Amino acid sequence: MRKPFIAGNWKMNTNGAGAKALASGLVGQLSEIDSVDVAVCPPSVYLQSVAKALSSSNIALGAQNMYFESNGAYTGETSAEMLKDVCCTYVIVGHSERRHVLGETDEMVNKKVSTAIGAGLLPILCVGELLEQRQGEETEAVVSRQIKAGLAGLSAEKVEAVTVAYEPVWAIGTGLTATPEQAQEVHLMIRKLLAEIYSESVAADIRIQYGGSAKPGNTAELMACPDVDGLLVGGASLKVDDFAAMIKTVV
Ligand code: PGA
């Protein structure tokens, strides 16, 4: 049985006071919930203060990105060990904004996934097609390539640390959500691919989140899809009531 997993990606939003207030607000609303894994991924400069606000709650902390080297002359980067040191459990890797705005390649994503696992972090590996790729019927080819490249060289034992997030790029921050049918189709394709690369039992254990304009109003229908195991939420995770409502829908 895959436990539902809902994570909030705050992206480059909030400020110090806002981040603390958002985290504390969620702790207040979600303290009783243990049938859903919940995580929030604040901007890296606020990880420590959010960690403090979440301490003694069951909400986990995640980072939005990391670098694949441990230390050294990499100005502006943050290592997996540093994220562990500030109490992160998860790290988002290969988000489409990093791939398409910041030029992250499949090879970098792969190094980040394996470095994260090596450091004891649980990576959330994001994959998803652009609008023109969907229109050109390339969704399966693009997502398969991202999954194969992202997980290259990873053993069956290690891949159990990974959550996959399917985020069609055309649905991110646009208000356009994939229909439950569209989401289920790609999630099932991903799970079949994981079974091919690893085994049926490994594929059955890996959680696949959907992301892209997920909100309280579409949570139930998306989560009703058999292969949608959770959500990676951007905009709606910035409002305590919306994010909490989504989690309560799934409980
Ligand atoms: P959105 O973002 O929910 O604002 O569309 C999702 C994401 O990018 O993770």
Side-chain angles (χ1 to χ4, degrees):
M1 263 301 280
R2 299 182 294 270
K3 187 175 180 184
F5 174 27
I6 299 190
N9 173 10
W10 296 359
K11 308 194 181 183
M12 199 172 72
N13 293 300
T14 68
N15 55 23
K20 258 198 261 178
L22 187 46
S24 308
L26 292 172
V27 171
Q29 290 216 28
L30 301 173
S31 58
E32 310 278 286
I33 287 164
D34 61 5
S35 57
V36 181
D37 284 337
V38 180
V40 293
C41 305
S44 59
V45 287
Y46 304 130
L47 283 168
Q48 279 181 291
S49 65
V50 170
K52 225 186 208 175
L54 299 179
S55 65
S56 73
S57 85
N58 45 13
I59 302 174
L61 186 66
Q64 299 175 16
N65 179 39
M66 52 161 269
Y67 197 54
F68 49 76
E69 298 288 354
S70 303
N71 51 57
Y74 303 102
T75 302
E77 295 294 334
T78 308
S79 71
E81 289 79 3
M82 291 169 185
L83 297 181
K84 272 301 271 188
D85 197 29
V86 296
C87 302
C88 286
T89 301
Y90 297 95
V91 59
I92 298 172
V93 175
H95 189 278
S96 69
E97 286 144 21
R98 297 212 58 85
R99 292 178 189 263
H100 300 295
V101 183
L102 295 147
E104 217 163 272
T105 63
D106 280 331
E107 194 192 358
M108 290 163 79
V109 171
N110 178 239
K111 285 188 191 167
K112 290 183 180 196
V113 168
S114 74
T115 305
I117 296 171
L121 291 167
L122 304 175
I124 300 174
L125 167 62
C126 300
V127 297
E129 80 288 359
L130 298 164
L131 181 60
E132 57 266 32
Q133 293 168 330
R134 174 159 284 265
Q135 287 168 341
E137 298 186 3
E138 293 169 56
T139 300
E140 179 165 354
V142 170
V143 172
S144 303
R145 191 205 71 228
Q146 291 172 334
I147 294 274
K148 284 184 194 156
L151 300 178
L154 215 62
S155 67
E157 197 185 312
K158 289 202 169 149
V159 81
E160 305 251 0
V162 175
T163 297
V164 173
Y166 168 58
E167 300 203 299
V169 181
W170 48 271
I172 296 179
T174 57
L176 283 178
T177 317
T179 63
E181 293 74 24
Q182 286 171 323
Q184 170 58 24
E185 189 185 14
V186 180
H187 282 230
L188 181 60
M189 185 274 287
I190 293 171
R191 202 173 306 284
K192 284 185 177 160
L193 180 62
L194 293 170
E196 262 171 46
I197 304 174
Y198 295 101
S199 67
E200 293 284 346
S201 78
V202 167
D205 284 347
I206 293 180
R207 295 187 290 195
I208 307 174
Q209 294 176 321
Y210 166 81
S213 301
K215 51 185 184 262
N218 56 28
T219 295
E221 59 181 25
L222 287 164
M223 289 300 296
C225 300
D227 288 287
V228 175
D229 308 312
L231 302 167
L232 183 54
V233 187
S237 73
L238 294 169
K239 294 187 194 124
V240 172
D241 289 344
D242 283 359
F243 193 58
M246 293 172 83
I247 289 148
K248 288 175 187 164
T249 304
V250 177
V251 169

